[in-house]
Structures are given as structure tokens and as C-alpha cells.
Amino acid sequence: MATEAQVETCATGQANVSLKKPELLAPAGNLEKLQFAVRYGADAVYIGGQQYGLRAKAGNFSFEDMAKGVDFASRYGAKVYVAANIIAHNEDLQGVKDYFKKLHDIGIDACIVADPALIELGRDAAPDLEMHISTQASITNWKAVQFWAQEGIPRVVLAREVSLEEIREIKRNVDIEIEAFIHGAMCISYSGRCVLSNHMTARDANRGGCAQSCRWPYELYGDKRISVDHDPFTMSSKDLSMVEHLPLLIDAGVDSLKIEGRMKSIHYIATVCNVYRQIIDSYCEDPQNFRLKEEWVDEIWKAAQRSLTTAFYFGDPTEQDQLFGKPEKIPKYDFAALVLDYDPDTQVATLQQRNNFGVGDEVEFFGPNFVRFKQTVKEMWDEENEPLERAPHPMMTVKMKVDQPVHPYDMMRKRK
């Protein structure tokens, strides 16, 4: 993770011009994911509470876990934001003031909101609690950004439908922090304006219940089924990835680079944070000589769940940015084990099993600062030092000979 001194400025490669190094903002669906996001490079994390958020099926945070998360993040110099970005109905307003007051008392750095009612109630309850405007507000132009700036809002999260040139224009016209998505799932509709889930399942996407109906397989019918020569199709987008173009967003003045995925795995969060941390730091250290490393791109694909696209950043998406036909074959990796300890004298690591692995498997260890190596599992023992051939039981403790030193909270992955 970047130190405070490193975060201050980022040269652009232009004479006498510098920018603030952007914040790397990561998702955290529960306390463990928060801790891994911070350890693997996030400057800030966004979480959901048990009310008013749009990820009802994420682990989400009790007030007690929020307090633990704030305490942990503060030790690393990281911030914690809470998403309270539902589109509220009348019955949702009861208890809002108490909720925001509690967030303030816990030490949450900011709330991400979309509904003006929640902004007003939150400000009444906790005037010092910072408010950020959510992507659910679908902000796509500088006048809308200016409106919120005049309302005293310090940051807006842009809609995922804006282009890179539109971001540049916004920054030219309005002095406000801009947050933009750089990685993760894309909504097929303008963010916050989809009612497909409501219609198909009676689950309100704008109140935390999205059933992701756009990702279901569909066939075409008229008076009868229309014969087609391909598999059932989705109405779904490829996932966003700006891994190959991040310097353009930094130069455009984006203040916070946001990763999507509060419901994604620990392996996903650690991998993606690790890559973008390396790119941000490497570019800002020496922008004129920056070169994108192929290993960064390869690493991103190890966490990918779908094909990747740059979405709207370089123009309107085409059919090439949609998931039509048979899906692209993407290598899939399991988070196999977490490193608990390492004995340099014996070169034996103590691991906590997260997915089945055993002798003969090829595995890869990786940790913060992009330290990685591959090896074949040669020898394993249980807690009683009895030989093991496989580690089939979740969370079991395993000892294993490793080829290189490892550290607590390093991870071991295995290709499926």
C-alpha cells in the first residue's frame, strides 16, 4: 500500500505539471474482505451496512463489524466509506437519521448516497459526515456535477456510461473530486435505472434486490419459438477493465479509481487490488518511462469471471462488448489456502485450507507488492505432523514445504 508521502502528488510527464495520486478504492462485502483489500493495496474501501445499500446479498456489516473495519483500516492509513445508495420509498425513511448518526459515531469517513432525501436526513443527523453522490444518480455531464458541488458535496461517483473525454471536460469545468469505475461488472442499463429484476422476480434492483435478470439465458419467440443457430443469449455486458489504460484516467484528473465487486471473492479483491496498486505506483513514480507489464494483464485475467471490455471510455460499446454466443474460455482459479506462518529454517509454511488441494498439484503463491511464484506441492502434513496426500476439509490447518519464503496473509491459488 502507498505511504502517505507517496499519495501526495503524481507527475504527469508534462513540464511543471503534477496531479494528486488517485485513491485506489476497493469493495468489501465483509470484514475479512476489507482486511484483504487494505493489505493488498487499497487506499480506501466501500462497504454496505445492513440497511439502505444495493447489495442485499453481500455479507454486509453490522455496526460492530464497521467499528472493527474502521479500526483496522486506520492502522494502515486507509478510509472506509459506507454505501447507502438505495432509491428510497416512504417506508424506507424511518430510522435514517439514527443510522447516519451511528455511522458518524463509528468513524466512517463518508457515505455514498443517491437519494436527496437520504442526503438531507443524513446531514441533519450528522453534519460532519461527508456525503458522496453514488453512481446510481447516473451523473453524465458537468452541469450535474456542478449542481452537487454547489450543494456542498465534495465528490461524485460518475455513471459508468461516461467517456474519457467527458471526464476531462467535467474536470475542466468543476472543481470537485471525481470517482470513476475502473474494473468490475457493468449494468446493462444506465446505472440505477433498471426495472428488469422488478418485472421478472419482484425484486427491486434499486433497493438492493437485483436478480441480475440480464445475465439469464434467453431465446427469441414470436407467435412461436424462432429457430436460431446459436446458443441462448443474454442481455449482458462484458466486465469493465481499464488495466491497460489507467494512466489516461490519472492524467484526466480522476481522484478515486473504483473497483466493483462487494459480492466477489477474497481472491478477486486481493488480485485486482494488487495489480492496480502496482500500476498506479509505477506510473506516478516515473510517468515518462512507464511501461505496462504483461504480467499485470495476465494477473487480472486470473481474477476475471467474464470477458473484459473498456465499456464507454473510448466510445459507445458495440456488439463486441456484449456477451453473445458461447462465452470466451477464461482460466479459472481457486483460492486454495491462506498463509498463516512460515519457518525459514525448515522452509515449511503453515496454511489454512480454503479449497481442496493436494500433493502433485501446481499452485501459485502471491502476496502484496506483487510477489509471486509457482511450484508443485511435494509434501504436506496435518497439525500432528502426519503426512497428507490431500487437504479436503475447509479451514483445516496444513503444513507444506515451499520453494520460496512466504509471509502471513500471502495467498495460494490453484487453477481449476
Side-chain angles (χ1 to χ4, degrees):
M1 181 175 169
T3 65
E4 187 173 345
Q6 289 173 314
V7 173
E8 290 179 355
T9 60
C10 169
T12 65
Q14 304 171 24
N16 301 318
V17 178
S18 64
L19 297 174
K20 181 178 71 174
K21 182 185 283 191
E23 170 186 86
L24 179 60
L25 177 57
N30 58 38
L31 183 58
E32 186 179 33
K33 292 176 183 179
L34 180 153
Q35 293 167 343
F36 274 90
V38 172
R39 286 191 177 104
Y40 278 76
D43 298 305
V45 294
Y46 63 100
I47 67 176
Q50 295 177 340
Q51 296 170 276
Y52 311 116
L54 285 183
R55 290 293 181 268
K57 288 195 172 182
N60 292 325
F61 283 67
S62 65
F63 289 133
E64 181 181 359
D65 279 347
M66 282 185 190
K68 292 177 181 177
V70 168
D71 178 67
F72 179 87
S74 66
R75 284 185 266 138
Y76 286 80
K79 295 182 177 181
V80 179
Y81 309 141
V82 170
N85 52 349
I86 65 166
I87 303 303
H89 290 243
N90 291 330
E91 62 266 28
D92 296 316
L93 299 181
Q94 186 175 359
V96 168
K97 284 191 174 185
D98 290 340
Y99 183 75
F100 280 97
K101 178 66 165 60
K102 186 66 174 178
L103 297 184
H104 175 268
D105 293 344
I106 287 171
I108 295 299
D109 292 283
C111 281
I112 305 168
V113 290
D115 194 312
L118 268 63
I119 296 171
E120 182 177 3
L121 291 168
R123 282 176 160 177
D124 286 346
D128 296 331
L129 181 60
E130 196 168 288
M131 299 283 179
H132 298 170
I133 303 301
S134 170
T135 191
Q136 300 305 122
S138 298
I139 296 173
T140 57
N141 64 81
W142 71 265
K143 289 294 287 185
V145 174
Q146 185 182 65
F147 168 83
W148 287 113
Q150 291 169 347
E151 290 294 311
I153 297 296
R155 178 187 293 189
V156 297
V157 187
L158 295 179
R160 276 170 271 197
E161 294 78 21
V162 298
S163 69
L164 184 62
E165 182 50 44
E166 287 173 322
I167 291 175
R168 293 189 182 111
E169 186 174 1
I170 289 169
K171 291 298 290 187
R172 284 195 296 267
N173 283 282
V174 189
D175 184 16
I176 190 175
E177 287 189 359
I178 294 297
E179 185 176 304
F181 282 91
I182 57 169
H183 199 91
M186 292 288 292
C187 184
I188 199 64
S189 300
Y190 267 87
S191 301
R193 299 186 185 184
C194 179
V195 295
L196 192 61
S197 176
N198 304 53
H199 177 71
M200 304 289 281
T201 68
R203 287 168 49 181
D204 192 339
N206 293 304
R207 299 166 86 185
C210 181
Q212 298 199 38
S213 307
C214 61
R215 301 202 189 277
W216 298 353
Y218 290 90
E219 294 181 335
L220 188 61
Y221 284 79
D223 294 334
K224 60 182 179 179
R225 182 179 182 277
I226 299 173
S227 178
V228 291
D229 296 326
H230 55 71
D231 293 335
F233 62 90
T234 72
M235 293 181 282
S236 183
S237 168
K238 294 180 179 179
D239 284 0
L240 171 66
S241 175
M242 287 296 283
V243 67
E244 298 183 57
H245 309 283
L246 208 62
L248 295 176
L249 288 170
I250 296 174
D251 287 349
V254 176
D255 300 274
S256 181
L257 302 169
K258 188 170 191 172
I259 299 164
E260 183 275 339
R262 277 190 281 148
M263 295 179 67
K264 299 289 178 62
S265 69
I266 292 171
H267 173 254
Y268 171 92
I269 291 168
T271 300
V272 174
C273 283
N274 215 2
V275 171
Y276 282 110
R277 178 79 273 153
Q278 300 308 306
I279 297 173
I280 293 168
D281 290 348
S282 180
Y283 178 69
C284 287
E285 182 178 349
D286 189 2
Q288 291 179 311
N289 295 305
F290 173 80
R291 294 291 183 272
L292 184 74
K293 295 180 181 179
E294 187 176 338
E295 62 186 9
W296 292 335
V297 180
D298 291 343
E299 188 76 0
I300 281 292
W301 280 102
K302 292 177 182 178
Q305 298 180 331
R306 306 180 186 95
S307 300
L308 301 176
T309 173
T310 55
F312 290 82
Y313 278 116
F314 301 107
D316 290 340
T318 69
E319 68 278 4
Q320 300 302 317
D321 301 290
Q322 304 300 120
L323 293 172
F324 290 127
K326 291 184 178 180
E328 181 180 357
K329 290 185 177 179
I330 299 172
K332 300 292 185 182
Y333 288 82
D334 278 331
F335 171 24
L338 174 67
V339 176
L340 301 178
D341 199 5
Y342 172 69
D343 184 343
D345 295 329
T346 61
Q347 294 183 299
V348 169
T350 303
L351 310 175
Q352 183 184 75
Q353 191 263 32
R354 295 300 180 97
N355 271 292
N356 192 312
F357 68 93
V359 173
D361 290 345
E362 183 180 78
V363 296
E364 181 179 29
F365 286 91
F366 71 101
N369 302 317
F370 213 69
V371 178
R372 303 179 304 163
F373 69 92
K374 293 181 180 179
Q375 72 167 77
T376 299
V377 180
K378 302 181 185 70
E379 296 178 272
M380 293 167 44
W381 304 269
D382 64 16
E383 288 185 273
E384 306 301 325
N385 294 318
E386 293 295 324
L388 281 175
E389 284 297 313
R390 299 209 66 79
H393 304 303
M395 308 299 281
M396 69 183 292
T397 300
V398 179
K399 296 180 181 179
M400 171 182 155
K401 194 89 167 181
V402 290
D403 292 349
Q404 297 182 31
V406 292
H407 304 89
Y409 303 106
D410 287 356
M411 301 171 72
M412 187 181 86
R413 62 163 71 103
K414 184 187 73 169
R415 185 166 174 169
K416 291 184 179 179

